[in-house]
């Protein structure tokens, strides 16, 4: 690895550190809320099948609940559960007064409609922000649950004092989980970016990226963004979590983002590392949404 000057460290947006700070804030707010209102924020996880990555994500989210003093339950369901059985579990959790947030870990097996399952969740408990009511409210700028990764991204920008108003933000990727919601969030008046969304049909992608003051990479292509794509001083938010072969690692692989960190480092203004950038923020914002739900701050 290339030697770096110490001052370069200031270019790294440390998601691990920022998410720890946010979690500490939530923990203290939760203690006060619990002692004043005698209500414990409650979060239900549903995991279907044996996807190893999903298992790790749900385990880490459960750990965060424990750390912050939340109540949590995990429904671990077999791969062949029917759509109807899964719907029944959601209906039960919708009416459970101890549960303020419901999270169905995606992806689901192909015989189950993700769309139908997400719509079945009470939008007032949709702490993932995936329900069409929350997605629509995000679009029109109403108060709603914000999807956790986009929420984490804007929190990273704000806590790193990145100026957003009037800046060109380019989003790579149009997924419902990251690309589309983060584009809508950056468009909001209080953030005020000029937003371009690029996708697999985009022509001249490097040309568009080179206009970006803020580049959000969420396309799932390892080390796709190179220094030739970016403008000097650009802030790179790397949402990618990709496994690539690495002979030097004990596990035989390493985790990389959608940006080539080493290649872009000198030219960019700031950059999130992978791991330790956006990833930890997603969990912190899930906890924030759940606490807000328990307090009735979004839907009363
Ligand atoms: N799968 C990948 N990311 C997410 C997420 O943020 N929430 C849920 N429920 N599933 C996911």
């Amino acid at each position: 690895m290339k030697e770096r000057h110490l001052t370069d460290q200031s270019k790294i947006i440390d998601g691990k550190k920022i998410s720890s700070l946010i979690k500490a804030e939530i923990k203290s707010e939760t203690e006060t809320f619990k002692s004043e209102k005698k209500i414990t924020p409650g979060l239900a996880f549903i995991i279907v099948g044996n996807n190893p990555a999903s298992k790790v994500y749900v385990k880490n989210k459960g750990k965060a609940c424990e750390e912050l003093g939340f109540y949590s339950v995990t429904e671990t369901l077999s791969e062949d559960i029917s759509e109807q059985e899964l719907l029944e579990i959601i209906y039960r959790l919708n009416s459970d007064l101890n549960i303020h947030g419901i999270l169905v870990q995606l992806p689901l097996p192909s015989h189950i409609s993700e769309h139908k399952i997400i719509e079945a969740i009470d939008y007032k408990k949709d702490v993932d922000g995936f329900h069409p009511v929350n997605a629509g409210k995000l679009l029109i700028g109403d108060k709603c649950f914000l999807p956790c990764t986009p929420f984490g991204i804007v929190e990273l920008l704000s806590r790193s004092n990145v100026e957003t108003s009037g800046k060109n933000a380019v989003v790579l990727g149009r997924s419902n989980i990251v690309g589309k919601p983060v584009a809508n969030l950056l468009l909001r008046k209080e953030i005020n970016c000029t937003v371009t969304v690029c996708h697999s049909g985009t022509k001249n992608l490097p040309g568009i990226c080179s206009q970006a003051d803020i580049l959000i990479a969420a396309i799932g292509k390892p080390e796709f963004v190179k220094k030739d794509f970016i403008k000097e001083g650009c802030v790179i938010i790397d949402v990618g979590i990709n496994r690539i072969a690495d002979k030097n690692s004990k596990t035989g692989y390493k985790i990389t983002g959608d940006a080539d960190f080493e290649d872009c480092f000198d030219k960019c203004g700031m950059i999130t590392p992978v791991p330790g950038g956006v990833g930890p923020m997603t969990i912190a914002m899930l906890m924030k949404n759940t606490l807000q739900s328990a307090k009735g701050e979004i839907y009363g």
Side-chain angles (χ1 to χ4, degrees), residues 15 20 36 42 45 63 94 132 136-137 156 210-211 249 278 298:
S20 293
E36 281 178 9
F45 301 104
K63 260 197 222 158
N94 279 346
K137 283 177 178 289
L156 276 182
S210 70
Q211 301 291 310
S249 151
V278 174
I298 306 289

Side-chain angles (χ1 to χ4, degrees), residues 5 24 50 55 118 130 133 141 145 147 161 171 190 193 211 249 276:
H5 296 295
N50 285 309
K55 280 188 182 170
I118 290 168
F130 293 165
V133 168
F145 288 117
N161 300 313
V171 178
E190 63 271 24
C193 285
Q211 301 291 310
S249 151

Side-chain angles (χ1 to χ4, degrees), residues 127-173:
V127 286
D128 251 335
F130 293 165
H131 191 285
V133 168
N134 285 308
K137 283 177 178 289
L138 168 58
L139 186 68
I140 61 177
D142 263 8
K143 200 172 197 184
C144 61
F145 288 117
L146 299 174
C148 305
T149 302
F151 193 7
I153 291 171
V154 296
E155 200 65 26
L156 276 182
L157 292 172
S158 132
R159 292 190 188 233
S160 307
N161 300 313
V162 174
E163 176 63 72
T164 53
S165 187
K167 300 294 180 187
N168 288 335
V170 172
V171 178
L172 303 183

Side-chain angles (χ1 to χ4, degrees), residues 48-69:
V48 183
N50 285 309
N51 182 320
S54 291
K55 280 188 182 170
V56 173
Y57 292 143
V58 170
K59 196 171 128 208
N60 289 339
K61 290 169 188 174
K63 260 197 222 158
C65 286
E66 215 170 293
E67 256 177 67
L68 304 191

Side-chain angles (χ1 to χ4, degrees), residues 75-182:
E75 299 277 355
T76 307
L77 307 171
S78 111
E79 182 86 22
D80 58 8
I81 190 170
S82 72
E83 191 175 83
Q84 190 54 37
E85 285 172 292
L86 181 52
L87 287 170
E88 303 287 343
I89 292 167
I90 292 170
Y91 299 146
R92 171 168 56 75
L93 293 167
N94 279 346
S95 51
D96 185 336
L97 297 177
N98 294 316
I99 295 297
H100 306 98
I102 301 171
L103 183 147
V104 179
Q105 188 64 31
L106 303 178
L108 290 171
S110 56
H111 67 279
I112 298 176
S113 155
E114 282 186 2
H115 189 75
K116 213 163 163 182
I117 296 302
I118 290 168
E119 275 206 45
I121 298 170
D122 179 352
Y123 71 90
K124 295 179 180 173
K125 294 190 178 187
D126 170 38
V127 286
D128 251 335
F130 293 165
H131 191 285
V133 168
N134 285 308
K137 283 177 178 289
L138 168 58
L139 186 68
I140 61 177
D142 263 8
K143 200 172 197 184
C144 61
F145 288 117
L146 299 174
C148 305
T149 302
F151 193 7
I153 291 171
V154 296
E155 200 65 26
L156 276 182
L157 292 172
S158 132
R159 292 190 188 233
S160 307
N161 300 313
V162 174
E163 176 63 72
T164 53
S165 187
K167 300 294 180 187
N168 288 335
V170 172
V171 178
L172 303 183
R174 58 176 154 186
S175 72
N176 289 338
I177 293 183
V178 183
K180 280 184 224 163
V182 82

